[in-house]
Amino acid sequence: MKASAAAGGRAAPPTRTWPTLLVIVCAQMLIWLDTSILNVAVTTLADPTTGLGATPGELEWIAGAYTLVFAGTLFAGGALADRHGPRTTLLAGLALFGAASAAAAFAPNPPALIAARAVMGAGSALLMPATLTVIVQSTPEDKRTRAIAIWSSSSGLGVAIGPVAGSALLSHFWWGSVFLVNVPVVALCLAGVLALVPRLPPSHRRVLDLPGLALSVLGLGSVVYGIIELGGGKPWFGPHVLLPLVLGTALLTAFVAGQRRSPTPSLDLRLFRQPGFAAGSVVLLIAFMALAGHLFYAAFYLQGPRGLTPADAGTVMIAAAVGIVLGSQASPATSRLLTARWTVAAGVLATAATYLGYLWFDAGTPLVIIAALLWIQGFGMGLVGTPVTAAMMRAVPPHLAGAGSAVNSVTRQVGGTLGVAMAGSILSGVYRSRMADAPVPEALPPDAEERARTSAESARALADSLRLPDLAATADRAFLDAMYAATFWTALLALVGFAVCVVGLRTRNPDGDKGVDHGPDAADDTPLGARDGREPGNRAGHGPPLREGGRPGHGDPPGR
């Protein structure tokens, strides 16, 4: 079986498509497995007795540090995959992720866990672009869309396995076991990569843009910090909120300006001249921002007001995972039937409807209704990921597959980071507001009263230890009000994504029929920068050419 030709005219070595894809999916699944396990473990980490006693802000950073570093260093991961080959980068990412997971398992306090999670994010940044690059460069064209669908469904597998494994581990072991479990999985993936993943030749000798990388990480970190501080009760115009937001915006603006002038940019802005690539990036950003924010408060709802154990909460959340897997597998056929644009639009609209459903949830909502909405939500996200990813990657020349993979991945992770920050800020801010005027038992000492008014988890722990059921009921009511506010804004965000999809996600027939959506296989095949009759990269200051030697762009049929 022949693989697709690599850039530069060198053919990639023959590969066994499906065994290789199995290894790639297992490696990719690690990222989602870790995220879903953390969703189950948040209440345990917040517990001062069985966990680390993490505050709401620390919990947001335990989740956010991972996705923040992940997103900030993904451009470097894509450049390394293009420069040294995806197999080498994949091995390095797995090794770094495994070592950081072991460190996280034995972290003595929340700051140490946050630091370990940040290193795990760096490992994932090496891992994720490499997995998609292997698929793009080594999978035959006729199997590539199906392979991308399977790759996309790995998120569902990770979401499915994570809560079950996490619940089982928390039921028998200490909190650190949810991170230590990554180590044997990493070992199996390393063995599989060494045995099955081919040594694809480096497609382009890209140079790392270290100043750009630093600007992107610092800028995004400043913005997220400001959002978290806002949710912690700080005023909008105070130095803890306004200063980091302004600084972060300035740094990100400088990052974009620098990428336009850099001869070796981390983020090649010419990619966004492709309509399918640009609109797809925005849709993915919004969809994952809404999803991550929703999952953040849903985990607290299931184990808080709804009163489920971690094991039961994990079992309920399997419904979302099954939906993601089925939606990903159904998306190619659905795209042929409805076109890619309307398949993605239907998926985004379905998720928005499920978010709105939480406005009617309370402490007694039947589990079957919760599971049904989670399944619809997962199926909708499955319909979104595959067509958007396929369209984006068809717009990228082969020798920039790593860069395109990095952009595809960074939109998901930036969206996840901002989504958790947004949802956490709304939850914390509204909860504090409701508890400020709520009556609490006079028997509580001042420091305990402050903890109860700050965190619903602390209030429930105090209620259990001091046998104060009224305190727990008050905290639950305040949390539900906070969840209603968060879910309203999450649903509104998803509806914005629906509008962007309908208006902007329009593909073009290779023969030039504008405005006609031909499904996921119909992304514009015109090479980047070639629409004005010139080869890309010929203008001074716009970086290296996106195609070399006049060879056909990615997705061009032979002889064009």
Side-chain angles (χ1 to χ4, degrees), residues 286-313:
I286 293 175
F288 275 85
M289 184 176 175
L291 178 67
H294 169 77
L295 291 178
F296 184 77
Y297 60 74
F300 284 100
Y301 163 74
L302 290 173
Q303 299 178 59
R306 194 55 187 81
L308 299 184
T309 64
D312 291 338

Side-chain angles (χ1 to χ4, degrees), residues 185-560:
V185 179
V186 166
L188 290 174
C189 290
L190 284 170
V193 171
L194 290 170
L196 294 171
V197 175
R199 294 181 180 272
L200 296 167
S203 56
H204 190 59
R205 304 299 292 183
R206 297 176 63 195
V207 178
L208 286 181
D209 176 26
L210 296 180
L213 173 62
L215 285 173
S216 65
V217 173
L218 293 175
L220 183 60
S222 296
V223 170
V224 173
Y225 179 85
I227 294 174
I228 291 175
E229 288 296 295
L230 176 64
K234 300 294 192 304
W236 257 108
F237 297 101
H240 292 282
V241 175
L242 186 60
L243 182 60
L245 288 178
V246 171
L247 177 62
T249 302
L251 290 172
L252 291 176
T253 301
F255 168 70
V256 172
Q259 298 306 289
R260 293 177 61 87
R261 296 189 299 268
S262 174
T264 56
S266 296
L267 173 60
D268 197 322
L269 298 176
R270 288 171 296 172
L271 294 173
F272 293 94
R273 295 177 187 171
Q274 299 282 38
F277 192 92
S281 298
V282 175
V283 170
L284 279 182
L285 176 75
I286 293 175
F288 275 85
M289 184 176 175
L291 178 67
H294 169 77
L295 291 178
F296 184 77
Y297 60 74
F300 284 100
Y301 163 74
L302 290 173
Q303 299 178 59
R306 194 55 187 81
L308 299 184
T309 64
D312 291 338
T315 302
V316 171
M317 293 184 74
I318 290 178
V322 173
I324 291 174
V325 173
L326 294 178
S328 297
Q329 295 305 304
S331 61
T334 307
S335 295
R336 288 191 293 270
L337 179 65
L338 300 179
T339 74
R341 179 171 55 144
W342 292 111
T343 296
V344 175
V348 175
L349 191 61
T351 61
T354 62
Y355 301 149
L356 286 173
Y358 275 66
L359 292 173
W360 286 270
F361 280 17
D362 55 28
T365 302
L367 293 180
V368 65
I369 295 178
I370 299 174
L373 285 184
L374 285 170
W375 186 90
I376 296 171
Q377 178 189 124
F379 193 87
M381 284 301 298
L383 292 179
V384 172
T386 299
V388 171
T389 299
M392 289 176 66
M393 294 311 296
R394 282 188 174 85
V396 178
H399 70 279
L400 286 180
S405 302
V407 173
N408 181 276
S409 301
V410 81
T411 54
R412 300 168 186 248
Q413 298 309 316
V414 168
T417 300
L418 296 179
V420 170
M422 178 195 72
S425 297
I426 295 172
L427 278 179
S428 180
V430 176
Y431 178 83
R432 285 172 176 265
S433 175
R434 296 295 185 271
M435 290 295 288
D437 300 325
V440 296
E442 296 181 359
L444 284 178
D447 61 331
E449 180 178 340
E450 177 60 24
R451 293 201 307 273
R453 294 188 186 277
T454 302
S455 165
E457 289 68 40
S458 296
R460 294 188 196 101
L462 288 169
D464 289 341
S465 62
L466 300 176
R467 298 183 180 181
L468 298 171
D470 290 345
L471 176 61
T474 300
D476 285 345
R477 285 193 297 270
F479 176 85
L480 286 173
D481 286 344
M483 186 183 76
Y484 298 150
T487 200
F488 173 80
W489 287 106
T490 301
L492 184 62
L493 181 66
L495 291 175
V496 172
F498 171 77
V500 171
C501 177
V502 172
V503 174
L505 195 62
R506 305 173 73 91
T507 56
R508 186 165 63 179
N509 189 320
D511 295 330
D513 296 334
K514 296 182 180 181
V516 181
D517 191 327
H518 297 274
D521 297 333
D524 190 353
D525 285 333
T526 306
L528 292 175
R531 293 195 183 94
D532 57 1
R534 294 173 291 177
E535 284 298 316
N538 290 342
R539 297 182 297 275
H542 287 274
L546 290 175
R547 293 194 302 159
E548 298 174 347
R551 296 183 181 88
H554 181 54
D556 289 340
R560 278 191 60 183

